[in-house]
Amino acid sequence: MIEQAIEEGPSEVQGPDTLVISVDVPGHGSIRRKVICPLSMPGSGRGLVGQTVGVRHVTDDPDHVDDVLVVRWPSEVTRALQPFRPEGPGAGHARAWRFLTQCAAVVTVGGILLTVAMLIGVVFTAGELFADLPAWFRPWEVLAASAGAAALGPLAFAFCGARVTTALSRSRRVNPTPTPTTRTGQSSG
């Protein structure tokens, strides 16, 4: 059972939580093991406290806190770790729009960074930063293009994200574990 979720302190770079797992070992009582939470968002381990997991370990020594392999996570962790694999009539469209959504995110971030660099070069150094560049390089045009990318990138991201949702509504997600099917219309003899 997941007994505790330990978050990194605010002075350090926050990463995934550390989970303390209590393992009942016949003849040895309860031992504790530590494992990194597979959900990368800080604080996500708190929602897993009190849930059971399947683990393997080699030794019953209580001092070996890292001797653990989680073989079965709770269902919400399993769902969160599933890859994006839609299927059905809208699956191809969903994958294409998702790719375009990721491209829009890259354009947005690149536009913001280039706009900052160009503003420093054009406004604060009065263009002297670009004096050694070829004559075809036009700092004001690059500044306008990067500002346009920074402004239009989030709109493209939102539009493509909405199209992913629309395409997914016409498809269904692949479940990596098959569900048992029942046969009807047959009599057992």
Side-chain angles (χ1 to χ4, degrees), residues 75-93:
S75 60
E76 60 264 17
V77 174
T78 305
R79 277 192 307 275
L81 297 178
Q82 285 180 350
F84 180 76
R85 293 185 308 170
E87 69 175 20
H93 289 103

Side-chain angles (χ1 to χ4, degrees), residues 78-96 98 102 164 167-178:
T78 305
R79 277 192 307 275
L81 297 178
Q82 285 180 350
F84 180 76
R85 293 185 308 170
E87 69 175 20
H93 289 103
R95 284 191 292 271
R98 186 164 189 239
Q102 294 167 344
V164 168
L168 284 177
S169 68
R170 287 184 255 144
S171 68
R172 56 188 167 88
R173 230 178 139 167
V174 172
N175 188 358
T177 56

Side-chain angles (χ1 to χ4, degrees), residues 4-173:
Q4 180 183 9
I6 303 169
E7 296 179 41
E8 298 293 328
S11 62
E12 300 177 18
V13 175
Q14 285 201 312
D17 300 343
T18 301
L19 302 175
V20 178
I21 300 174
S22 175
V23 181
D24 292 328
V25 180
H28 294 284
S30 181
I31 59 175
R32 286 181 176 68
R33 299 293 191 241
K34 290 184 180 181
V35 67
I36 300 296
C37 180
L39 304 174
S40 59
M41 189 71 148
S44 59
R46 282 182 269 155
L48 301 175
V49 173
Q51 297 193 30
T52 59
V53 293
V55 299
R56 291 186 181 164
H57 58 95
V58 177
T59 180
D60 297 331
D61 187 1
D63 294 332
H64 287 91
V65 294
D66 294 326
D67 172 37
V68 66
L69 172 65
V70 179
V71 293
R72 184 182 39 83
W73 288 101
S75 60
E76 60 264 17
V77 174
T78 305
R79 277 192 307 275
L81 297 178
Q82 285 180 350
F84 180 76
R85 293 185 308 170
E87 69 175 20
H93 289 103
R95 284 191 292 271
W97 283 111
R98 186 164 189 239
F99 174 74
L100 291 174
T101 302
Q102 294 167 344
C103 289
V106 170
V107 166
T108 301
V109 172
I112 291 170
L113 296 175
L114 187 58
T115 300
V116 170
M118 292 306 295
L119 278 174
I120 290 171
V122 171
V123 175
F124 296 117
T125 65
E128 291 178 23
L129 185 65
F130 308 115
D132 294 334
L133 293 176
W136 55 263
F137 182 78
R138 309 242 191 271
W140 287 102
E141 292 174 8
V142 174
L143 176 61
S146 64
L152 296 177
L155 297 174
F157 181 82
F159 175 76
C160 293
R163 298 300 299 171
V164 168
T165 305
T166 303
L168 284 177
S169 68
R170 287 184 255 144
S171 68
R172 56 188 167 88
R173 230 178 139 167

